[in-house]
Structures are given as structure tokens and as C-alpha cells.
Amino acid sequence: TQWSIKLLNSWSFSMGSAYQFHSWRVFVVVCALPCVCAVVALTFMPESPRFYLEVGKHDEAWMILKQIHDTNMRARGQPEKVFTVNRIKIPKQLDELVEMETESGNPVSKFFFRIKTEIHGIYLNLMKCFNYPMRENMTRLAIVWFTLSFGYYGLSVWFPDVIKHLQADDYASKVKIHNNERIEDFTFNFTLENQIHKNGLFINDRFIHMKLRSVTFIDSTFHNCYFDDVTSVGSFFRNCTFIEAFFFNTDIDESKLVDGTEVVNSTFTHNKTGCQMTFDDDYSAYWVYFINFLGTLAVLPGNIVSALLMDKIGRLSMLGGSMVLSGISCFFLWFGTSESMMIFMLCLYNGLSISAWNSLDVVTTESFPTVRRGTGFGFCNALCKLAAVLGNLIFGSLVGITKAIPILMASSVLVGGGLVALRLPDTRANVLM
């Protein structure tokens, strides 16, 4: 772990004196790389045959269908089969509708009519998703999407914050308190960490090449003290007095001198600017990424299991079973009194819930005919994002207040959503229309 931290710290460079490219920025850049690769890969993917038919490019649509057929036949060991088309139902092209509506063919009118037609078409498609015989299945799908997203994203925010809260409580329990100390003509050239100094008197002391980590001085006086190359993280001077002090190359400024701290006949020169924090200074900064890495790594077994067993045990059994097991696993959070236990529960929860996500994607895709598949899937995804926002807000507001409400809420919605998922029709044998 220490090697990993030092490796992260080595990934940095500075631009001038005030800006440093620290590892968290490298983390963000690395996270953006898959998106960039996906955009590049999209340029090599063929268009949808239905889109080609809608815009009148029938030959291109036929070629794409032939490529799909040939690829599937080769995978089945029957490359000699010839692609044939008996009948293609061609949808009415939008440009024809525009021309029929606007006799003059004015570009502006065509543009606005195109937008109006698209919006109206989406609305009609969405309404058809809630018409008989799809209404009942659509309602169940919406409930499953909402409950799974609410529980998953709510707990994904709650887990790291609870772990951080446990770390903070453990760290605060080890704080060292010094009262009424008098230190005179002493050189501090080492790190002070997790300490509280009350009613202290520092005379002719030197603070040189040192760091203050979570150190608070309260009602203390610094007389004729010298501060040189001092970096502070989470440290404050509360209601303190500085008399004839000299600050050189430090990050001590108004944000650290709080609650009535007075500075008398003191000098500040060459103050540090920019972010001075490193992972060595604040271990929790690294820990946030490490916890997310472990949680993400835990979904790998779930992805493998769902890919191998989905057709064998069925979509609904995997979807409902995974959601119910995820909800049951939440109850074990009652016993999560340490960060190691909470991290284990996070990995277990992510590993169980990923199978539900994979199954739900397949079930949703197979539940709609082609003409309504994009609209239905898009509506469910929009509902998913709404549930994610609500989950983040509600679960995030309960961090450090109570464990009972988040645990009961997540368990109930996941188990309830899993039971609803078991009532969905089995789409394993469905032929996509």
C-alpha cells in the first residue's frame, strides 16, 4: 500500500510555482480515456439498417444485414448459408412527410416541422409502450429500474462516506491533547500530527521544514517565533495571539487563523500558493480511490457469472435473485463497525448487484419490438438516472446520522424490486420483432 501511495505521488509535475498536476488529476484523465476510445470506436461501427431504410439507403441497409448474417453463420459453423431477404417493411421517410406538409419546401419550415414530427413520434411511441398489452410489463420494468438504481447508487455514495466517517472517528479517538504547556527557545523540525494544544505559550521557538497534520492550537500565544517552510493540512489556530512572529514560505493565512486570532507586529513573506496537499499528508485522499477500485474490481466475478449462466438459469431468475440477495446482504451492514468490514460488504454488494444490471439490460431489450425498443429503453434509463439522483441526495444526507434508515431503505427497495422482477414475462425464447 505504501508503495502504491508513493507511485501515485510520483505521477505529478508542476507548472510554474502555483499549479501542480497531482495524482487525482491523472485519475480524472485516465477515467476520461475510455470515453475518448468509445468515441473513436463509434466511427468504425456501421449504422443501423433501420436508419438506412428510413433515409432511403436500401442498398446500404441490405449490406449491413448481410454482414450480420454472415458473421452469425460463421459463428454457428455454417458459412455456406446464403443471405436472402423475402420481405422488408420500409418505414415512411421523414423527408417525404416534410415535403407533404410544406408544399414550398422552405428550409426553415422543414426544419421546424422535422423537430415537431420527431417529438410527436417519440411521444406516440412512449404512449404505445403504456398501451395494452405492454402496459403491465412496462410498469413492472419501470419499478425494477427505479428500485435497482435507487438502492445501488444510494449505497454507492453511502458506503465510501460511512467508511470515511469511521476513519475520522477512529482518528479522532487517538488525538493527543496538551494543556498549559510552555516551550521556550526550541526548534520544531518534525511533523506534528493529530494533536490539540490548549493555553500554550511558545517563546522564541522556531518551526522549520515541518508539517502540521490535523493540529489545532487553541488560546495559545506565540511570542517572537519564526516559521519557515511550514505546510499544514487540516490545522488551525483558534483564538491565538502572534506577537512579533515571522512567517516565510508557509501556507498559514487567514483561512488557518480563525476564531479571533490576533497577529501583532508580525510579518508574512513568500507565502505558499496552490494546493500543497499530497497523499502522504492526507491518506484519506488516496483511500477514496482505493475503495472505489476495490468496489469496481468486485463486479468482475458477477460479470463472468452472468455471462456464463444467464441462458442456463434464465434472465428473470438471475435478475430477481440477484436483487433479493443484494437486499439481504444489506442487513449485514448492522455488523459493519470497522472499515475493513464495510469494504468487504461493499465488494459483496457490488458483486451481487452487477448480475441484476446485466439481466435487466437483456430483459428490457427483449421486452420491446424494434419500433419501440429505443423509446422504451430510453424511458427506463431516464427513470434510472432520476432514481440515482434521489438516492444520492437521500442516502448522502444520512451519513453520520443513522445506519438504520439507509439499511432498511436499501433492503426494502431491492427486495421489493426483485420480487416485482420475478413477475416479468420470460423473454428467453422470444424472437426479436
Side-chain angles (χ1 to χ4, degrees):
T1 303
Q2 292 295 327
W3 179 85
S4 301
I5 297 174
K6 292 186 181 300
L7 177 62
L8 285 169
N9 282 331
S10 66
W11 291 355
S12 63
F13 62 87
S14 59
M15 298 175 63
S17 60
Y19 181 81
Q20 291 191 355
F21 194 89
H22 284 302
S23 304
W24 72 266
R25 295 185 174 92
V26 176
F27 177 82
V28 173
V29 172
V30 171
C31 289
L33 288 179
C35 298
V36 176
C37 295
V39 171
V40 174
L42 282 174
T43 61
F44 297 96
M45 290 188 64
E47 260 294 356
S48 162
R50 178 179 175 82
F51 172 77
Y52 278 137
L53 292 175
E54 287 181 344
V55 297
K57 297 182 179 181
H58 302 158
D59 293 339
E60 288 84 347
W62 186 88
M63 288 301 297
I64 297 299
L65 291 172
K66 184 178 183 303
Q67 290 177 13
I68 296 173
H69 171 272
D70 293 345
T71 301
N72 291 338
M73 290 303 104
R74 282 195 300 269
R76 293 182 179 181
Q78 300 173 339
E80 69 280 356
K81 279 203 170 184
V82 180
F83 174 66
T84 56
V85 177
N86 297 325
R87 181 174 63 92
I88 294 182
K89 183 179 179 180
I90 301 176
K92 187 176 287 293
Q93 299 177 29
L94 185 60
D95 287 336
E96 294 179 4
L97 294 174
V98 174
E99 290 295 343
M100 290 182 345
E101 177 71 17
T102 57
E103 297 179 359
S104 62
N106 184 276
V108 177
S109 339
K110 290 169 65 175
F111 172 76
F112 283 106
F113 183 72
R114 179 186 294 271
I115 295 177
K116 178 183 175 182
T117 305
E118 288 282 5
I119 295 175
H120 185 65
I122 293 173
Y123 173 77
L124 291 179
N125 249 343
L126 182 60
M127 291 299 101
K128 289 178 182 178
C129 291
F130 286 94
N131 289 341
Y132 181 84
M134 298 185 61
R135 178 189 306 164
E136 190 173 349
N137 291 339
M138 184 65 184
T139 303
R140 290 172 180 169
L141 277 174
I143 293 173
V144 175
W145 273 94
F146 187 91
T147 53
L148 181 58
S149 179
F150 182 83
Y152 179 82
Y153 289 105
L155 285 180
S156 67
V157 170
W158 188 74
F159 267 118
D161 283 343
V162 167
I163 294 172
K164 186 176 180 181
H165 186 73
L166 290 173
Q167 289 176 332
D169 287 346
D170 181 66
Y171 191 74
S173 66
K174 299 176 182 178
V175 64
K176 297 179 181 178
I177 301 177
H178 304 271
N179 291 306
N180 303 314
E181 58 187 343
R182 177 187 175 98
I183 302 177
E184 188 172 353
D185 198 23
F186 183 80
T187 299
F188 293 87
N189 56 2
F190 47 87
T191 298
L192 298 180
E193 182 174 5
N194 200 18
Q195 299 179 11
I196 297 177
H197 297 261
K198 295 182 178 180
N199 300 310
L201 179 60
F202 301 86
I203 303 174
N204 297 325
D205 293 320
R206 293 163 297 280
F207 300 81
I208 301 176
H209 306 303
M210 66 171 301
K211 292 183 178 181
L212 302 174
R213 299 178 186 170
S214 300
V215 178
T216 302
F217 295 90
I218 303 175
D219 299 328
S220 298
T221 301
F222 298 83
H223 191 281
N224 198 28
C225 292
Y226 180 79
F227 297 81
D228 183 4
D229 191 20
V230 177
T231 302
S232 60
V233 177
S235 300
F236 300 94
F237 298 86
R238 301 185 182 278
N239 196 30
C240 295
T241 303
F242 293 87
I243 302 173
E244 297 181 355
F246 186 84
F247 298 84
F248 177 81
N249 192 29
T250 72
D251 64 353
I252 300 175
D253 54 18
E254 294 85 356
S255 63
K256 311 290 178 68
L257 308 175
V258 296
D259 295 345
T261 295
E262 296 182 359
V263 180
V264 181
N265 295 331
S266 300
T267 303
F268 292 81
T269 180
H270 293 90
N271 278 14
K272 295 178 183 290
T273 57
C275 178
Q276 305 297 324
M277 184 183 297
T278 65
F279 286 121
D280 284 332
D281 296 330
D282 188 1
Y283 185 73
S284 63
Y286 160 76
W287 197 243
V288 171
Y289 302 115
F290 186 67
I291 292 173
N292 279 279
F293 169 74
L294 291 178
T296 304
L297 189 65
V299 307
L300 183 59
N303 278 321
I304 296 174
V305 169
S306 59
L308 295 177
L309 301 181
M310 187 176 297
D311 285 328
K312 294 183 179 179
I313 67 177
R315 288 101 162 96
L316 300 185
S317 298
M318 180 168 287
L319 172 59
S322 179
M323 290 185 68
V324 172
L325 289 176
S326 298
I328 294 175
S329 70
C330 292
F331 282 108
F332 290 97
L333 294 175
W334 289 108
F335 308 101
T337 56
S338 65
E339 58 183 277
S340 57
M341 178 62 74
M342 295 298 293
I343 293 173
F344 171 76
M345 295 306 304
L346 169 65
C347 294
L348 177 63
Y349 173 76
N350 284 352
L352 290 172
S353 60
I354 191 62
S355 298
W357 282 112
N358 294 337
S359 306
L360 184 57
D361 287 338
V362 175
V363 170
T364 305
T365 302
E366 295 175 346
S367 297
F368 297 100
T370 301
V371 293
R372 289 190 280 278
R373 185 172 298 126
T375 303
F377 202 98
F379 174 80
C380 291
N381 248 302
L383 203 61
C384 168
K385 300 302 182 288
L386 174 62
V389 172
L390 292 176
N392 289 343
L393 292 175
I394 295 174
F395 281 78
S397 64
L398 297 173
V399 173
I401 300 176
T402 177
K403 289 172 60 177
I405 296 178
I407 291 173
L408 293 176
M409 191 183 304
S411 298
S412 59
V413 297
L414 288 171
V415 172
L419 295 177
V420 172
L422 294 174
R423 300 292 304 277
L424 288 168
D426 191 0
T427 60
R428 181 166 28 175
N430 283 10
V431 177
L432 297 183
M433 303 298 293

